[in-house]
Amino acid sequence: MLSKKTQYAFRALTDLAENYGKGPIHICDIASRKNIPLKFLENILNELKKSDFLESKKGKGGGYVLKHSPKKINLAAVIRIINGPIALLPCVSLNFYRRCEDCNEENCGLRRVMAMTRDATLKILEKKTLQDILSGERLII
Amino acid sequence: MLSKKTQYAFRALTDLAENYGKGPIHICDIASRKNIPLKFLENILNELKKSDFLESKKGKGGGYVLKHSPKKINLAAVIRIINGPIALLPCVSLNFYRRCEDCNEENCGLRRVMAMTRDATLKILEKKTLQDILSGERLII
DNA sequence: TAATATCCTACCAAATTAGTAGAATAATGT
DNA sequence: ACATTATTCTACTAATTTGGTAGGATATTA
Ligand code: FES
Ligand code: FES
């Protein structure tokens, strides 16, 4: 399951997507509109900034802005930054690979199945973008 | 990601599948063959028994046996028992549903996408069985 | 009734998640 | 220059989950 932090991240990014093109948005506005603990949200937006999803500006007239169009930000990328691996096992993770102790990778049936589910999941999450999860949008399947 | 406990569960079930038809298998044999902490494995097999995957017998000649053929046990069912929800959000879980606070389900784009990934994942995990993850097996895609 | 092996209750340590506090830094307007 | 504003950084803390362990109770067989 995605952590609460990841849900917060998506809610915040959605808010920024809804206000895309309106200049910098205050973190406290996002926090109050989306009901996210302010100081926790600071951490989250900072991580998203360091991972190049956001731009920020300090001082009066400052705030956060999406660095790219909501259509360009795919959900898998966000999950990987805030939540970690998408795969169900470390040995099939593309971005967070770790070897399984006591398990022969070439010959592991569980690994083969988990690689399939990883692919099926990524096929969706890498295609869907912030734009797709805005509440107004009709999702095209 | 699946917990270590869940990986242990799969390894133990695989061992029982490999020895299917040979009568009760000692928990300490499984533990040593598959390198799983014995007392932890006790808990795991007990949960699997309570969830009707295993039968057990106490005393001399006792041990654990798969209650059903390895072809009948699908991976999603095991994950649900030992690991919990398969869906990425509580609001799209079929077996562990919980409402999302501060979120309107009918109108939530994130929920729509997560329902799609749940379906894609389940399509695989509910079809694949213990038999499919035995190391000798060739996985038919 | 001894030996064997699962079952049960309860605990414990480490890791992760969720959240907070407060000062430092940068930008802006006057 | 200086006050104001808003992000940034460091460093905690609390709660929950994960990964175990200990030891006795119970059932089965011989
Ligand atoms: S190699 Fe990762 S589960 Fe077997
Ligand atoms: S309803 Fe669950 S994320 Fe919106």
Side-chain angles (χ1 to χ4, degrees), chain A residues 89 91 100 103-105 108 110-111, chain B residues 7:
Chain A
L89 291 174
C91 59
C100 285
C103 214
N104 180 348
E105 283 200 2
C108 178
L110 189 60
R111 185 167 186 268
Chain B
Q7 273 194 69

Side-chain angles (χ1 to χ4, degrees), chain A residues 113 116-117 120-121 123-124, chain B residues 74-76 80 86 94 115-129 132 140-141:
Chain A
V113 173
M116 290 176 65
T117 80
T121 302
K123 202 169 171 183
I124 296 169
Chain B
N74 80 79
L75 306 189
R80 285 187 178 118
I86 288 170
L94 299 174
M116 291 176 64
T117 82
R118 177 204 62 200
D119 289 340
T121 302
L122 284 183
K123 203 169 169 181
I124 296 170
L125 293 181
E126 286 184 335
K127 179 170 294 187
K128 295 299 172 189
T129 69
D132 294 316
I140 292 119
I141 299 170

Side-chain angles (χ1 to χ4, degrees), chain B residues 21-35:
Chain B
K22 298 185 189 167
I25 307 295
H26 290 157
I27 193 168
C28 56
D29 290 337
I30 303 175
S32 70
R33 275 197 292 265
K34 297 293 198 254
N35 203 23

Side-chain angles (χ1 to χ4, degrees), chain A residues 73-86:
Chain A
I73 301 172
N74 79 78
L75 305 189
V78 175
I79 291 175
R80 286 189 177 118
I81 296 303
I82 305 295
N83 206 71
I86 288 171

